[in-house]
Amino acid sequence: MKQSAGILVYKFIDKMIFFFLVHPGGPFWKNKDLESWSIPKGEFNNEEDPLEAAKREFQEETGVEVEGDFIELEYVKLKSGKIVHAWAVEFDLDESLIKSNDFEIEWPPKSGKFQSFPEIDRAEWFQTADALKKINPAQADFIIQMVSKISASL
């Protein structure tokens, strides 16, 4: 079974919580917005520590090394059966400085031509309601869990 690990970054501005989400790059996602954003994440194998994999993937997809007190969230299971593990951390970063790694695919399909695209084409901070509209529905639970944890600590 495939597994991914990712990090949900959040920050407070004027006592309001904002979540950092990334938009996948490449031609398939080019014109998709609602329910297509994600936490920075990627696959890992059973020999790798999931939190270390999440930190590595965050760095690969954003160019930023995230640090802080990581809060483990309950995993989610995607329709494909893949398990996504996630941690939340309060951390501030400038979304305009994101530098993603690239991937290569045959494009257009069956053309025999390969093109390179950034894994992440943009990143933004969203307030909770907007984040819940933008994020892939399977990952929305990460935001809900974090809002619940923050509310419980107030």
Side-chain angles (χ1 to χ4, degrees), residues 1-4 44 46 77 80-83:
M1 171 178 29
K2 290 188 176 183
Q3 299 184 93
S4 282
F44 69 99
N46 288 333
K77 191 172 188 175
S80 66
K82 181 191 283 186
I83 300 289

Side-chain angles (χ1 to χ4, degrees), residues 17-127:
I17 189 168
F18 286 77
F19 293 99
F20 178 79
L21 300 178
V22 295
H23 186 270
F28 178 77
W29 297 101
K30 186 175 183 218
N31 297 316
K32 293 180 173 37
D33 186 49
L34 296 179
E35 299 186 345
S36 62
W37 293 66
S38 175
I39 64 172
K41 64 175 177 40
E43 290 185 3
F44 69 99
N45 59 40
N46 288 333
E47 289 80 50
E48 194 173 7
D49 176 73
L51 177 55
E52 291 308 312
K55 290 178 186 178
R56 172 182 47 78
E57 288 293 334
F58 192 96
Q59 201 277 329
E60 287 178 6
E61 292 189 359
T62 66
V64 175
E65 196 170 314
V66 68
E67 52 193 38
D69 295 323
F70 292 90
I71 302 163
E72 188 170 5
L73 301 173
E74 295 289 322
Y75 70 82
V76 299
K77 191 172 188 175
L78 305 183
K79 286 179 188 167
S80 66
K82 181 191 283 186
I83 300 289
V84 181
H85 302 270
W87 286 261
V89 66
E90 186 174 356
F91 188 79
D92 196 5
L93 65 144
D94 183 343
E95 71 279 9
S96 70
L97 301 179
I98 294 308
K99 176 69 179 106
S100 177
N101 55 347
D102 290 339
F103 70 98
E104 204 171 78
I105 59 166
E106 185 178 7
W107 193 260
K110 300 180 183 171
S111 66
K113 296 177 184 171
F114 283 81
Q115 291 189 43
S116 191
F117 297 95
E119 200 166 332
I120 299 303
D121 62 15
R122 61 191 189 275
E124 286 183 42
W125 288 98
F126 296 102
Q127 287 181 278

